[in-house]
Amino acid sequence: MGNAAPVTLVSGDEELLADRAVASVVSAVRAEEPTAEVHDLTGGKVEPGELTRLMSPSLFGDRSVVVIRNAQDLSKEVITETVKYAAHPSDDVTLVLVHPGGVKGKALVDGLKKSGAQVVTVAKLTKAGERIDFIRNEFRNLGRAIAPAAAHALLDAVGSDLRELAAACSQLAFDTQEKTVGEAAVARYHRGRAEVSGFNVADMAVEGKLAEALEQLRWALSTGVAPVLIVSALAGGLRSLAKVSGAPRNANENQLAGRLGMPPWKIRNARRQLNGWGPEGLSRAIQAVATADEQVKGGGTDAAYALENTVQTVVRSRNGR
């Protein structure tokens, strides 16, 4: 199987690191077999027998990757099926399961570990020092360095969300020429964030307020907020809606906070914003933001145009419009 283990368990509640771990496995497989097909599944929607079908060796020897996110939501039957498969995996298929930790689905985690699955741990970074190390590593991976004071200034400016931090590091490395990024570059980069941020744009868009969202977007861009941070905020807002939409409506915010990895105020806000959203609309909006992410990172020619289009798609996706 080359660099990719036959079965990998990604365990922990840091979404960005979990996504990267999955992407790393997919890349390793595609480095050997560029045409390998990827099946991306959600735990609660996997039917008994579906995994066995996907894991069956191909008549033509084709390689594939099966990713199961939210593996804690797999049914008992599917967990049994998965653990049984993990003990004797196919040569043609790479299986990746993403589990947030915690007691739900523990039988799956224990079974996979017992079968010898590779385990990648992606726990949340709870300390400021860990997030500073994360920033340094981001720059190192980009072939750059960041001065200690600049790393702290970046953390103060952006906050603790790893997706936001990663996006900021990427944009800073792209926009600055110095081998070591200093405080001046961070200050220059984040001017205007006090007046308006990507979060203002995201809130207006998910609430269906098109004119206000576009106005906030244009103001954010004109005051120096980087396009990649606006995309990150839109993605974060939609992810919050998706998380909360799947939670029991009668559970209070404090009960859900630990389970969803969100503070109670954010859950309350998402519940309010969910009005008018359905599963299909959310899916469309999330896909549009994923496309915008590629475009503002070099896949498109005009970041402002791409962002305006994305905001319009997000607003249209609400109420299925």
Side-chain angles (χ1 to χ4, degrees):
M1 296 297 295
N3 293 326
V7 181
T8 298
L9 169 66
V10 178
S11 175
D13 54 356
E14 185 50 76
E15 286 184 8
L16 173 68
L17 300 183
D19 287 349
R20 286 183 173 181
V22 171
S24 176
V25 174
V26 172
S27 295
V29 173
R30 284 190 163 158
E32 291 187 345
E33 186 58 65
T35 59
E37 189 174 2
V38 178
H39 304 276
D40 208 318
L41 312 174
T42 302
K45 296 180 180 177
V46 179
E47 300 289 336
E50 186 177 357
L51 199 60
T52 300
R53 178 180 61 77
L54 288 171
M55 295 302 187
S56 299
S58 164
L59 290 174
F60 305 103
D62 296 332
R63 288 281 290 280
S64 64
V65 183
V66 176
V67 179
I68 301 178
R69 302 178 193 271
N70 299 317
Q72 75 279 8
D73 295 331
L74 290 171
S75 67
K76 286 183 180 177
E77 295 88 347
V78 178
I79 287 176
T80 301
E81 196 180 335
T82 305
V83 172
K84 184 179 176 183
Y85 169 82
H88 303 285
S90 162
D91 289 336
D92 295 333
V93 184
T94 297
L95 175 62
V96 188
L97 298 110
V98 185
H99 187 284
V103 295
K104 190 177 181 185
K106 190 170 183 297
L108 172 72
V109 173
D110 293 344
L112 290 174
K113 287 180 178 177
K114 191 175 178 182
S115 74
Q118 172 178 273
V119 179
V120 179
T121 303
V122 289
K124 276 224 182 289
L125 306 186
T126 56
K127 298 174 183 174
E130 292 173 334
R131 291 190 281 269
I132 292 292
D133 287 341
F134 172 81
I135 290 169
R136 287 194 186 114
N137 285 330
E138 288 294 293
F139 277 96
R140 192 175 298 122
N141 292 336
L142 292 163
R144 308 288 284 285
I146 184 167
H152 282 92
L154 187 60
L155 184 59
D156 289 343
V158 176
S160 60
D161 183 87
L162 284 203
R163 287 186 190 275
E164 282 267 305
L165 283 172
C169 292
S170 175
Q171 192 72 37
L172 259 175
F174 181 78
D175 285 344
T176 58
Q177 301 301 316
E178 302 92 357
K179 182 71 177 170
T180 299
V181 175
E183 267 189 288
V186 174
R188 193 166 61 243
Y189 175 64
H190 285 286
R191 73 186 185 279
R193 278 183 65 84
E195 289 83 7
V196 66
S197 74
F199 298 109
N200 299 88
V201 180
D203 283 342
M204 295 297 106
V206 300
E207 289 168 17
K209 300 172 181 174
L210 180 59
E212 292 96 324
L214 290 175
E215 182 184 351
Q216 291 283 301
L217 171 62
R218 289 160 190 158
W219 177 244
L221 291 172
S222 72
T223 55
V225 179
V228 71
L229 292 179
I230 298 171
V231 172
S232 181
L234 282 165
L238 291 167
R239 272 198 312 277
S240 293
L241 295 191
K243 276 185 178 181
V244 173
S245 70
R249 292 190 178 187
N250 56 353
N252 69 43
E253 289 91 354
N254 293 318
Q255 289 173 319
L256 289 175
R259 177 176 158 189
L260 297 182
M262 295 168 63
W265 67 265
K266 201 168 186 179
I267 295 172
R268 204 156 42 243
N269 195 42
R271 278 180 161 167
R272 178 182 59 78
Q273 292 178 330
L274 261 173
N275 184 37
W277 282 99
E280 287 184 12
L282 262 176
S283 180
R284 260 198 314 277
I286 289 168
Q287 184 56 53
V289 172
T291 301
D293 186 57
E294 290 177 17
Q295 291 174 327
V296 301
K297 288 178 179 173
T301 52
D302 186 335
Y305 176 75
L307 281 168
E308 290 206 6
N309 262 351
T310 303
V311 165
Q312 288 170 352
T313 302
V314 169
V315 172
R316 277 201 307 271
S317 299
R318 191 173 175 268
N319 287 323
R321 294 194 303 277

